[in-house]
Amino acid sequence: PARFFVGLVTVCFTGAYALVATTPLVERVGSPWASITGVKKDRRNLQAPEWVIPLTLVNLVFAAFVVVQITVLFGGEQHVLRTTGLTYAEYARSGFFQLVVIAALVLVVVAASVNLAKSESERDRRLMQALLGLLCVLTLVVLLSALKRLGLYEETYGFTRLRFFVHVAIFWLALVILAVMTAGVRWNARWLPRIVVGLTAAGLLVVNVINPDAFIAARNLVRYEATGKIDTYYLSTMLSADAVPILVEAPEEVRACVLAGHYRRFGQPLSFWSWNLGREAARDALASTVRVKERDCPGPLEYRD
C-alpha cells in the first residue's frame, strides 16, 4: 500500500507539472503573479568570444584528461595490479561515478551553450557544432572506459543485478549523447525530447524482455564453465524466481548450492495471493532437483560488495 500511494502521488505531481509546463501562462490584470514576474525582457545572448573561450577550455581539459590518464582509462587488469591500494571495486566504481558526473555536466553545457550563445552566422554555427561535437566525442571515450572497467570487474567477480543496470545506464547515456550529436549536426533539437523519452521507454522494454535475473544467472554459469569460479551464495539468495529455471541447468557439482536459498522461498506450493507465473515456473523447476541444506554451502564471499 505504501508503494502504491507513493507511486500515485508521483504520477499526480508529474502530470500536474507536465500540464502546467505545456500550458501558456496568461497574466491578467490584478493577477498575484503579475507583480512577481513583471514585464518580460529580451534575453541577452552571449557573443562569440564569451562562449568560444569556455568551450575551448573545457575541450582542452577533457582532452588532457584522456591523454594523461590513458593508462588509467584503458590500463585494465595490469593497471589494477600495479597500483598500490587500488581494488577492482574502486577501479570500476570510480569510472562509473565519474561517468555520471561528466555526462550530466556535458549535457548541461550543451544545453546552456545552445540556448545562451549567439550563433546567427554560418561561421559561428559551424564553430559551435565543432566544439560541442568534440566535447561529446570525448565524453563517449569516458563512457567506453567505464564500460571496460565494468567488464573487468565482472570477469573477476561475476554478474550482479547492480552491475547489470550499470550496463544499462552506460548504454542509455551513450545513446542520449549520440542523439544530442545528431541534433547538433542537423541544428534542430525539437525532436530531441521525444527521442530521449522514446529511448528510455525502449530501454525499459528491452530490459524486461531480457529478464535481468535470468540473464545474470546465465552469465554467471558461463563464467563458471570458463574459470571455475562462482558465487553460489549470491545466486541462491539475491536473485528472484526468474533465475531458477536457468540455475537448474547448472553443473551438478554446484547445482544444489545455487538453488539452496530458492528452495526456502519457492519450494512449497504458493497461496492464491502470492501466485505469479515466475514463481510457478521456479517451483516446477525445483521439483525435479535434489534439495540440500543451506549450511552445507559456502556463505557470502568477502570480496563481493
Side-chain angles (χ1 to χ4, degrees), residues 77-114:
E77 183 177 2
Q78 295 303 317
H79 170 75
V80 174
L81 296 177
R82 289 196 305 264
T83 304
T84 303
L86 185 61
T87 66
Y88 284 104
E90 293 168 343
Y91 182 67
R93 289 177 176 178
S94 64
F96 176 66
F97 287 115
Q98 289 171 7
L99 152 72
V100 173
V101 174
I102 289 173
L105 290 178
V106 165
L107 294 176
V108 171
V109 168
V110 171
S113 300
V114 172

PDB file of all heavy atoms in Angstrom, residues 77-114:
ATOM      1  N   GLU A  77      43.484  -4.819 -16.255  1.00  0.00           N
ATOM      2  CA  GLU A  77      43.913  -5.623 -15.116  1.00  0.00           C
ATOM      3  C   GLU A  77      45.332  -5.298 -14.693  1.00  0.00           C
ATOM      4  O   GLU A  77      45.636  -5.224 -13.503  1.00  0.00           O
ATOM      5  CB  GLU A  77      43.799  -7.102 -15.485  1.00  0.00           C
ATOM      6  CG  GLU A  77      44.163  -8.033 -14.351  1.00  0.00           C
ATOM      7  CD  GLU A  77      43.964  -9.471 -14.754  1.00  0.00           C
ATOM      8  OE1 GLU A  77      43.581  -9.720 -15.913  1.00  0.00           O
ATOM      9  OE2 GLU A  77      44.204 -10.342 -13.900  1.00  0.00           O
ATOM     10  N   GLN A  78      46.234  -5.098 -15.645  1.00  0.00           N
ATOM     11  CA  GLN A  78      47.622  -4.821 -15.292  1.00  0.00           C
ATOM     12  C   GLN A  78      47.738  -3.526 -14.494  1.00  0.00           C
ATOM     13  O   GLN A  78      48.529  -3.434 -13.558  1.00  0.00           O
ATOM     14  CB  GLN A  78      48.469  -4.744 -16.565  1.00  0.00           C
ATOM     15  CG  GLN A  78      48.551  -6.062 -17.310  1.00  0.00           C
ATOM     16  CD  GLN A  78      49.105  -7.175 -16.425  1.00  0.00           C
ATOM     17  OE1 GLN A  78      50.065  -6.962 -15.684  1.00  0.00           O
ATOM     18  NE2 GLN A  78      48.486  -8.337 -16.490  1.00  0.00           N
ATOM     19  N   HIS A  79      46.940  -2.534 -14.871  1.00  0.00           N
ATOM     20  CA  HIS A  79      46.980  -1.276 -14.117  1.00  0.00           C
ATOM     21  C   HIS A  79      46.503  -1.509 -12.686  1.00  0.00           C
ATOM     22  O   HIS A  79      47.085  -0.975 -11.733  1.00  0.00           O
ATOM     23  CB  HIS A  79      46.105  -0.220 -14.794  1.00  0.00           C
ATOM     24  CG  HIS A  79      45.910   1.015 -13.963  1.00  0.00           C
ATOM     25  ND1 HIS A  79      46.900   1.960 -13.800  1.00  0.00           N
ATOM     26  CD2 HIS A  79      44.861   1.448 -13.234  1.00  0.00           C
ATOM     27  CE1 HIS A  79      46.458   2.921 -13.013  1.00  0.00           C
ATOM     28  NE2 HIS A  79      45.217   2.631 -12.664  1.00  0.00           N
ATOM     29  N   VAL A  80      45.435  -2.292 -12.507  1.00  0.00           N
ATOM     30  CA  VAL A  80      44.927  -2.559 -11.169  1.00  0.00           C
ATOM     31  C   VAL A  80      45.982  -3.262 -10.323  1.00  0.00           C
ATOM     32  O   VAL A  80      46.194  -2.938  -9.159  1.00  0.00           O
ATOM     33  CB  VAL A  80      43.638  -3.404 -11.248  1.00  0.00           C
ATOM     34  CG1 VAL A  80      43.174  -3.816  -9.865  1.00  0.00           C
ATOM     35  CG2 VAL A  80      42.541  -2.627 -11.952  1.00  0.00           C
ATOM     36  N   LEU A  81      46.659  -4.238 -10.916  1.00  0.00           N
ATOM     37  CA  LEU A  81      47.645  -4.999 -10.166  1.00  0.00           C
ATOM     38  C   LEU A  81      48.863  -4.158  -9.807  1.00  0.00           C
ATOM     39  O   LEU A  81      49.507  -4.389  -8.787  1.00  0.00           O
ATOM     40  CB  LEU A  81      48.078  -6.221 -10.986  1.00  0.00           C
ATOM     41  CG  LEU A  81      46.967  -7.241 -11.265  1.00  0.00           C
ATOM     42  CD1 LEU A  81      47.489  -8.359 -12.149  1.00  0.00           C
ATOM     43  CD2 LEU A  81      46.420  -7.812  -9.967  1.00  0.00           C
ATOM     44  N   ARG A  82      49.204  -3.165 -10.660  1.00  0.00           N
ATOM     45  CA  ARG A  82      50.397  -2.355 -10.405  1.00  0.00           C
ATOM     46  C   ARG A  82      50.133  -1.188  -9.460  1.00  0.00           C
ATOM     47  O   ARG A  82      51.059  -0.612  -8.919  1.00  0.00           O
ATOM     48  CB  ARG A  82      50.937  -1.794 -11.727  1.00  0.00           C
ATOM     49  CG  ARG A  82      51.574  -2.831 -12.632  1.00  0.00           C
ATOM     50  CD  ARG A  82      52.415  -2.154 -13.701  1.00  0.00           C
ATOM     51  NE  ARG A  82      51.643  -1.180 -14.442  1.00  0.00           N
ATOM     52  CZ  ARG A  82      51.044  -1.440 -15.608  1.00  0.00           C
ATOM     53  NH1 ARG A  82      51.130  -2.655 -16.137  1.00  0.00           N
ATOM     54  NH2 ARG A  82      50.369  -0.508 -16.241  1.00  0.00           N
ATOM     55  N   THR A  83      48.866  -0.833  -9.288  1.00  0.00           N
ATOM     56  CA  THR A  83      48.545   0.348  -8.489  1.00  0.00           C
ATOM     57  C   THR A  83      48.328  -0.051  -7.043  1.00  0.00           C
ATOM     58  O   THR A  83      47.447  -0.851  -6.743  1.00  0.00           O
ATOM     59  CB  THR A  83      47.290   1.043  -9.033  1.00  0.00           C
ATOM     60  OG1 THR A  83      47.503   1.347 -10.408  1.00  0.00           O
ATOM     61  CG2 THR A  83      47.011   2.329  -8.270  1.00  0.00           C
ATOM     62  N   THR A  84      49.103   0.501  -6.143  1.00  0.00           N
ATOM     63  CA  THR A  84      49.017   0.144  -4.730  1.00  0.00           C
ATOM     64  C   THR A  84      47.696   0.604  -4.138  1.00  0.00           C
ATOM     65  O   THR A  84      47.325   1.764  -4.254  1.00  0.00           O
ATOM     66  CB  THR A  84      50.169   0.789  -3.958  1.00  0.00           C
ATOM     67  OG1 THR A  84      51.395   0.372  -4.553  1.00  0.00           O
ATOM     68  CG2 THR A  84      50.136   0.401  -2.494  1.00  0.00           C
ATOM     69  N   GLY A  85      47.015  -0.324  -3.489  1.00  0.00           N
ATOM     70  CA  GLY A  85      45.783   0.011  -2.795  1.00  0.00           C
ATOM     71  C   GLY A  85      44.565   0.172  -3.670  1.00  0.00           C
ATOM     72  O   GLY A  85      43.495   0.523  -3.172  1.00  0.00           O
ATOM     73  N   LEU A  86      44.668  -0.082  -4.958  1.00  0.00           N
ATOM     74  CA  LEU A  86      43.517   0.066  -5.846  1.00  0.00           C
ATOM     75  C   LEU A  86      42.881  -1.295  -6.069  1.00  0.00           C
ATOM     76  O   LEU A  86      43.506  -2.202  -6.604  1.00  0.00           O
ATOM     77  CB  LEU A  86      43.946   0.661  -7.191  1.00  0.00           C
ATOM     78  CG  LEU A  86      42.830   0.981  -8.187  1.00  0.00           C
ATOM     79  CD1 LEU A  86      41.877   2.005  -7.607  1.00  0.00           C
ATOM     80  CD2 LEU A  86      43.419   1.484  -9.498  1.00  0.00           C
ATOM     81  N   THR A  87      41.634  -1.455  -5.637  1.00  0.00           N
ATOM     82  CA  THR A  87      40.918  -2.713  -5.809  1.00  0.00           C
ATOM     83  C   THR A  87      40.089  -2.672  -7.083  1.00  0.00           C
ATOM     84  O   THR A  87      39.866  -1.615  -7.671  1.00  0.00           O
ATOM     85  CB  THR A  87      39.989  -2.978  -4.617  1.00  0.00           C
ATOM     86  OG1 THR A  87      38.949  -1.989  -4.610  1.00  0.00           O
ATOM     87  CG2 THR A  87      40.752  -2.914  -3.299  1.00  0.00           C
ATOM     88  N   TYR A  88      39.611  -3.859  -7.478  1.00  0.00           N
ATOM     89  CA  TYR A  88      38.745  -3.915  -8.655  1.00  0.00           C
ATOM     90  C   TYR A  88      37.475  -3.098  -8.433  1.00  0.00           C
ATOM     91  O   TYR A  88      36.963  -2.463  -9.352  1.00  0.00           O
ATOM     92  CB  TYR A  88      38.372  -5.361  -8.959  1.00  0.00           C
ATOM     93  CG  TYR A  88      39.493  -6.142  -9.604  1.00  0.00           C
ATOM     94  CD1 TYR A  88      40.234  -7.055  -8.884  1.00  0.00           C
ATOM     95  CD2 TYR A  88      39.799  -5.955 -10.946  1.00  0.00           C
ATOM     96  CE1 TYR A  88      41.262  -7.777  -9.476  1.00  0.00           C
ATOM     97  CE2 TYR A  88      40.817  -6.669 -11.547  1.00  0.00           C
ATOM     98  CZ  TYR A  88      41.546  -7.577 -10.807  1.00  0.00           C
ATOM     99  OH  TYR A  88      42.557  -8.275 -11.397  1.00  0.00           O
ATOM    100  N   ALA A  89      36.944  -3.146  -7.221  1.00  0.00           N
ATOM    101  CA  ALA A  89      35.724  -2.390  -6.929  1.00  0.00           C
ATOM    102  C   ALA A  89      35.960  -0.892  -7.102  1.00  0.00           C
ATOM    103  O   ALA A  89      35.163  -0.186  -7.712  1.00  0.00           O
ATOM    104  CB  ALA A  89      35.256  -2.699  -5.510  1.00  0.00           C
ATOM    105  N   GLU A  90      37.079  -0.398  -6.552  1.00  0.00           N
ATOM    106  CA  GLU A  90      37.390   1.029  -6.688  1.00  0.00           C
ATOM    107  C   GLU A  90      37.652   1.390  -8.139  1.00  0.00           C
ATOM    108  O   GLU A  90      37.235   2.465  -8.603  1.00  0.00           O
ATOM    109  CB  GLU A  90      38.617   1.364  -5.826  1.00  0.00           C
ATOM    110  CG  GLU A  90      38.365   1.248  -4.338  1.00  0.00           C
ATOM    111  CD  GLU A  90      39.659   1.308  -3.542  1.00  0.00           C
ATOM    112  OE1 GLU A  90      40.735   1.126  -4.133  1.00  0.00           O
ATOM    113  OE2 GLU A  90      39.580   1.530  -2.329  1.00  0.00           O
ATOM    114  N   TYR A  91      38.316   0.519  -8.867  1.00  0.00           N
ATOM    115  CA  TYR A  91      38.626   0.784 -10.273  1.00  0.00           C
ATOM    116  C   TYR A  91      37.350   0.922 -11.100  1.00  0.00           C
ATOM    117  O   TYR A  91      37.199   1.850 -11.889  1.00  0.00           O
ATOM    118  CB  TYR A  91      39.478  -0.370 -10.813  1.00  0.00           C
ATOM    119  CG  TYR A  91      39.920  -0.202 -12.246  1.00  0.00           C
ATOM    120  CD1 TYR A  91      40.823   0.792 -12.597  1.00  0.00           C
ATOM    121  CD2 TYR A  91      39.449  -1.053 -13.232  1.00  0.00           C
ATOM    122  CE1 TYR A  91      41.247   0.933 -13.914  1.00  0.00           C
ATOM    123  CE2 TYR A  91      39.861  -0.923 -14.548  1.00  0.00           C
ATOM    124  CZ  TYR A  91      40.761   0.074 -14.878  1.00  0.00           C
ATOM    125  OH  TYR A  91      41.173   0.216 -16.173  1.00  0.00           O
ATOM    126  N   ALA A  92      36.397   0.010 -10.904  1.00  0.00           N
ATOM    127  CA  ALA A  92      35.161   0.049 -11.684  1.00  0.00           C
ATOM    128  C   ALA A  92      34.251   1.178 -11.219  1.00  0.00           C
ATOM    129  O   ALA A  92      33.694   1.911 -12.023  1.00  0.00           O
ATOM    130  CB  ALA A  92      34.433  -1.289 -11.574  1.00  0.00           C
ATOM    131  N   ARG A  93      34.103   1.328  -9.917  1.00  0.00           N
ATOM    132  CA  ARG A  93      33.157   2.315  -9.406  1.00  0.00           C
ATOM    133  C   ARG A  93      33.604   3.739  -9.683  1.00  0.00           C
ATOM    134  O   ARG A  93      32.785   4.604  -9.987  1.00  0.00           O
ATOM    135  CB  ARG A  93      32.965   2.106  -7.906  1.00  0.00           C
ATOM    136  CG  ARG A  93      32.182   0.849  -7.576  1.00  0.00           C
ATOM    137  CD  ARG A  93      32.084   0.668  -6.082  1.00  0.00           C
ATOM    138  NE  ARG A  93      31.251  -0.483  -5.743  1.00  0.00           N
ATOM    139  CZ  ARG A  93      31.039  -0.888  -4.500  1.00  0.00           C
ATOM    140  NH1 ARG A  93      31.594  -0.244  -3.500  1.00  0.00           N
ATOM    141  NH2 ARG A  93      30.268  -1.917  -4.269  1.00  0.00           N
ATOM    142  N   SER A  94      34.899   3.996  -9.548  1.00  0.00           N
ATOM    143  CA  SER A  94      35.373   5.353  -9.817  1.00  0.00           C
ATOM    144  C   SER A  94      35.075   5.737 -11.248  1.00  0.00           C
ATOM    145  O   SER A  94      34.660   6.848 -11.545  1.00  0.00           O
ATOM    146  CB  SER A  94      36.874   5.459  -9.529  1.00  0.00           C
ATOM    147  OG  SER A  94      37.608   4.622 -10.411  1.00  0.00           O
ATOM    148  N   GLY A  95      35.252   4.805 -12.173  1.00  0.00           N
ATOM    149  CA  GLY A  95      34.944   5.091 -13.566  1.00  0.00           C
ATOM    150  C   GLY A  95      33.476   5.379 -13.768  1.00  0.00           C
ATOM    151  O   GLY A  95      33.107   6.293 -14.498  1.00  0.00           O
ATOM    152  N   PHE A  96      32.606   4.619 -13.092  1.00  0.00           N
ATOM    153  CA  PHE A  96      31.181   4.815 -13.312  1.00  0.00           C
ATOM    154  C   PHE A  96      30.701   6.138 -12.744  1.00  0.00           C
ATOM    155  O   PHE A  96      29.955   6.872 -13.392  1.00  0.00           O
ATOM    156  CB  PHE A  96      30.387   3.665 -12.697  1.00  0.00           C
ATOM    157  CG  PHE A  96      28.908   3.859 -12.805  1.00  0.00           C
ATOM    158  CD1 PHE A  96      28.289   3.847 -14.045  1.00  0.00           C
ATOM    159  CD2 PHE A  96      28.135   4.083 -11.681  1.00  0.00           C
ATOM    160  CE1 PHE A  96      26.919   4.036 -14.156  1.00  0.00           C
ATOM    161  CE2 PHE A  96      26.779   4.273 -11.787  1.00  0.00           C
ATOM    162  CZ  PHE A  96      26.168   4.245 -13.020  1.00  0.00           C
ATOM    163  N   PHE A  97      31.103   6.469 -11.526  1.00  0.00           N
ATOM    164  CA  PHE A  97      30.623   7.710 -10.937  1.00  0.00           C
ATOM    165  C   PHE A  97      31.218   8.931 -11.642  1.00  0.00           C
ATOM    166  O   PHE A  97      30.563   9.966 -11.767  1.00  0.00           O
ATOM    167  CB  PHE A  97      30.928   7.735  -9.442  1.00  0.00           C
ATOM    168  CG  PHE A  97      30.054   6.800  -8.657  1.00  0.00           C
ATOM    169  CD1 PHE A  97      30.587   5.715  -7.995  1.00  0.00           C
ATOM    170  CD2 PHE A  97      28.687   7.001  -8.599  1.00  0.00           C
ATOM    171  CE1 PHE A  97      29.778   4.838  -7.296  1.00  0.00           C
ATOM    172  CE2 PHE A  97      27.863   6.137  -7.900  1.00  0.00           C
ATOM    173  CZ  PHE A  97      28.410   5.056  -7.238  1.00  0.00           C
ATOM    174  N   GLN A  98      32.451   8.835 -12.114  1.00  0.00           N
ATOM    175  CA  GLN A  98      32.995   9.899 -12.956  1.00  0.00           C
ATOM    176  C   GLN A  98      32.156  10.042 -14.216  1.00  0.00           C
ATOM    177  O   GLN A  98      31.866  11.152 -14.664  1.00  0.00           O
ATOM    178  CB  GLN A  98      34.446   9.591 -13.320  1.00  0.00           C
ATOM    179  CG  GLN A  98      35.418   9.710 -12.171  1.00  0.00           C
ATOM    180  CD  GLN A  98      36.796   9.196 -12.528  1.00  0.00           C
ATOM    181  OE1 GLN A  98      37.063   8.871 -13.672  1.00  0.00           O
ATOM    182  NE2 GLN A  98      37.668   9.083 -11.529  1.00  0.00           N
ATOM    183  N   LEU A  99      31.772   8.910 -14.762  1.00  0.00           N
ATOM    184  CA  LEU A  99      30.936   8.922 -15.960  1.00  0.00           C
ATOM    185  C   LEU A  99      29.629   9.665 -15.718  1.00  0.00           C
ATOM    186  O   LEU A  99      29.216  10.495 -16.527  1.00  0.00           O
ATOM    187  CB  LEU A  99      30.645   7.484 -16.377  1.00  0.00           C
ATOM    188  CG  LEU A  99      29.341   7.202 -17.133  1.00  0.00           C
ATOM    189  CD1 LEU A  99      29.432   7.731 -18.540  1.00  0.00           C
ATOM    190  CD2 LEU A  99      29.036   5.729 -17.117  1.00  0.00           C
ATOM    191  N   VAL A 100      28.951   9.377 -14.618  1.00  0.00           N
ATOM    192  CA  VAL A 100      27.665  10.015 -14.338  1.00  0.00           C
ATOM    193  C   VAL A 100      27.822  11.526 -14.233  1.00  0.00           C
ATOM    194  O   VAL A 100      27.065  12.293 -14.836  1.00  0.00           O
ATOM    195  CB  VAL A 100      27.065   9.444 -13.040  1.00  0.00           C
ATOM    196  CG1 VAL A 100      25.820  10.223 -12.646  1.00  0.00           C
ATOM    197  CG2 VAL A 100      26.723   7.968 -13.215  1.00  0.00           C
ATOM    198  N   VAL A 101      28.825  11.966 -13.477  1.00  0.00           N
ATOM    199  CA  VAL A 101      29.034  13.400 -13.290  1.00  0.00           C
ATOM    200  C   VAL A 101      29.396  14.072 -14.608  1.00  0.00           C
ATOM    201  O   VAL A 101      28.838  15.119 -14.976  1.00  0.00           O
ATOM    202  CB  VAL A 101      30.131  13.643 -12.229  1.00  0.00           C
ATOM    203  CG1 VAL A 101      30.463  15.130 -12.142  1.00  0.00           C
ATOM    204  CG2 VAL A 101      29.672  13.126 -10.874  1.00  0.00           C
ATOM    205  N   ILE A 102      30.336  13.471 -15.343  1.00  0.00           N
ATOM    206  CA  ILE A 102      30.795  14.072 -16.596  1.00  0.00           C
ATOM    207  C   ILE A 102      29.668  14.125 -17.620  1.00  0.00           C
ATOM    208  O   ILE A 102      29.445  15.141 -18.278  1.00  0.00           O
ATOM    209  CB  ILE A 102      32.001  13.289 -17.151  1.00  0.00           C
ATOM    210  CG1 ILE A 102      33.223  13.537 -16.264  1.00  0.00           C
ATOM    211  CG2 ILE A 102      32.299  13.692 -18.586  1.00  0.00           C
ATOM    212  CD1 ILE A 102      34.419  12.688 -16.621  1.00  0.00           C
ATOM    213  N   ALA A 103      28.926  13.028 -17.774  1.00  0.00           N
ATOM    214  CA  ALA A 103      27.836  13.004 -18.753  1.00  0.00           C
ATOM    215  C   ALA A 103      26.774  14.040 -18.411  1.00  0.00           C
ATOM    216  O   ALA A 103      26.274  14.743 -19.292  1.00  0.00           O
ATOM    217  CB  ALA A 103      27.227  11.612 -18.817  1.00  0.00           C
ATOM    218  N   ALA A 104      26.442  14.151 -17.126  1.00  0.00           N
ATOM    219  CA  ALA A 104      25.442  15.146 -16.721  1.00  0.00           C
ATOM    220  C   ALA A 104      25.938  16.558 -17.010  1.00  0.00           C
ATOM    221  O   ALA A 104      25.192  17.403 -17.535  1.00  0.00           O
ATOM    222  CB  ALA A 104      25.118  14.985 -15.244  1.00  0.00           C
ATOM    223  N   LEU A 105      27.192  16.828 -16.676  1.00  0.00           N
ATOM    224  CA  LEU A 105      27.742  18.166 -16.921  1.00  0.00           C
ATOM    225  C   LEU A 105      27.827  18.475 -18.406  1.00  0.00           C
ATOM    226  O   LEU A 105      27.561  19.611 -18.832  1.00  0.00           O
ATOM    227  CB  LEU A 105      29.122  18.284 -16.274  1.00  0.00           C
ATOM    228  CG  LEU A 105      29.143  18.307 -14.743  1.00  0.00           C
ATOM    229  CD1 LEU A 105      30.572  18.371 -14.235  1.00  0.00           C
ATOM    230  CD2 LEU A 105      28.339  19.479 -14.204  1.00  0.00           C
ATOM    231  N   VAL A 106      28.177  17.475 -19.209  1.00  0.00           N
ATOM    232  CA  VAL A 106      28.271  17.697 -20.655  1.00  0.00           C
ATOM    233  C   VAL A 106      26.907  18.056 -21.228  1.00  0.00           C
ATOM    234  O   VAL A 106      26.775  18.976 -22.037  1.00  0.00           O
ATOM    235  CB  VAL A 106      28.857  16.458 -21.352  1.00  0.00           C
ATOM    236  CG1 VAL A 106      28.627  16.528 -22.862  1.00  0.00           C
ATOM    237  CG2 VAL A 106      30.342  16.351 -21.059  1.00  0.00           C
ATOM    238  N   LEU A 107      25.875  17.336 -20.809  1.00  0.00           N
ATOM    239  CA  LEU A 107      24.534  17.638 -21.302  1.00  0.00           C
ATOM    240  C   LEU A 107      24.097  19.035 -20.868  1.00  0.00           C
ATOM    241  O   LEU A 107      23.444  19.758 -21.630  1.00  0.00           O
ATOM    242  CB  LEU A 107      23.540  16.585 -20.800  1.00  0.00           C
ATOM    243  CG  LEU A 107      23.749  15.171 -21.345  1.00  0.00           C
ATOM    244  CD1 LEU A 107      22.763  14.204 -20.704  1.00  0.00           C
ATOM    245  CD2 LEU A 107      23.603  15.140 -22.861  1.00  0.00           C
ATOM    246  N   VAL A 108      24.467  19.438 -19.658  1.00  0.00           N
ATOM    247  CA  VAL A 108      24.144  20.787 -19.187  1.00  0.00           C
ATOM    248  C   VAL A 108      24.897  21.829 -20.001  1.00  0.00           C
ATOM    249  O   VAL A 108      24.332  22.862 -20.405  1.00  0.00           O
ATOM    250  CB  VAL A 108      24.473  20.928 -17.683  1.00  0.00           C
ATOM    251  CG1 VAL A 108      24.360  22.386 -17.243  1.00  0.00           C
ATOM    252  CG2 VAL A 108      23.537  20.064 -16.857  1.00  0.00           C
ATOM    253  N   VAL A 109      26.178  21.573 -20.262  1.00  0.00           N
ATOM    254  CA  VAL A 109      26.981  22.515 -21.048  1.00  0.00           C
ATOM    255  C   VAL A 109      26.420  22.662 -22.456  1.00  0.00           C
ATOM    256  O   VAL A 109      26.321  23.772 -22.983  1.00  0.00           O
ATOM    257  CB  VAL A 109      28.454  22.051 -21.084  1.00  0.00           C
ATOM    258  CG1 VAL A 109      29.244  22.835 -22.128  1.00  0.00           C
ATOM    259  CG2 VAL A 109      29.092  22.208 -19.720  1.00  0.00           C
ATOM    260  N   VAL A 110      26.046  21.556 -23.073  1.00  0.00           N
ATOM    261  CA  VAL A 110      25.495  21.604 -24.430  1.00  0.00           C
ATOM    262  C   VAL A 110      24.193  22.401 -24.442  1.00  0.00           C
ATOM    263  O   VAL A 110      23.990  23.285 -25.289  1.00  0.00           O
ATOM    264  CB  VAL A 110      25.259  20.183 -24.971  1.00  0.00           C
ATOM    265  CG1 VAL A 110      24.491  20.227 -26.288  1.00  0.00           C
ATOM    266  CG2 VAL A 110      26.598  19.473 -25.164  1.00  0.00           C
ATOM    267  N   ALA A 111      23.307  22.111 -23.497  1.00  0.00           N
ATOM    268  CA  ALA A 111      22.021  22.814 -23.450  1.00  0.00           C
ATOM    269  C   ALA A 111      22.213  24.307 -23.199  1.00  0.00           C
ATOM    270  O   ALA A 111      21.575  25.152 -23.852  1.00  0.00           O
ATOM    271  CB  ALA A 111      21.138  22.201 -22.368  1.00  0.00           C
ATOM    272  N   ALA A 112      23.101  24.658 -22.261  1.00  0.00           N
ATOM    273  CA  ALA A 112      23.333  26.067 -21.959  1.00  0.00           C
ATOM    274  C   ALA A 112      23.977  26.784 -23.134  1.00  0.00           C
ATOM    275  O   ALA A 112      23.621  27.933 -23.449  1.00  0.00           O
ATOM    276  CB  ALA A 112      24.218  26.186 -20.715  1.00  0.00           C
ATOM    277  N   SER A 113      24.900  26.125 -23.804  1.00  0.00           N
ATOM    278  CA  SER A 113      25.583  26.761 -24.930  1.00  0.00           C
ATOM    279  C   SER A 113      24.613  27.069 -26.069  1.00  0.00           C
ATOM    280  O   SER A 113      24.614  28.162 -26.630  1.00  0.00           O
ATOM    281  CB  SER A 113      26.717  25.861 -25.438  1.00  0.00           C
ATOM    282  OG  SER A 113      27.659  25.618 -24.424  1.00  0.00           O
ATOM    283  N   VAL A 114      23.766  26.106 -26.383  1.00  0.00           N
ATOM    284  CA  VAL A 114      22.831  26.300 -27.492  1.00  0.00           C
ATOM    285  C   VAL A 114      21.798  27.373 -27.162  1.00  0.00           C
ATOM    286  O   VAL A 114      21.390  28.150 -28.031  1.00  0.00           O
ATOM    287  CB  VAL A 114      22.141  24.963 -27.833  1.00  0.00           C
ATOM    288  CG1 VAL A 114      21.027  25.171 -28.853  1.00  0.00           C
ATOM    289  CG2 VAL A 114      23.162  23.975 -28.370  1.00  0.00           C
TER     290      VAL A 114
END
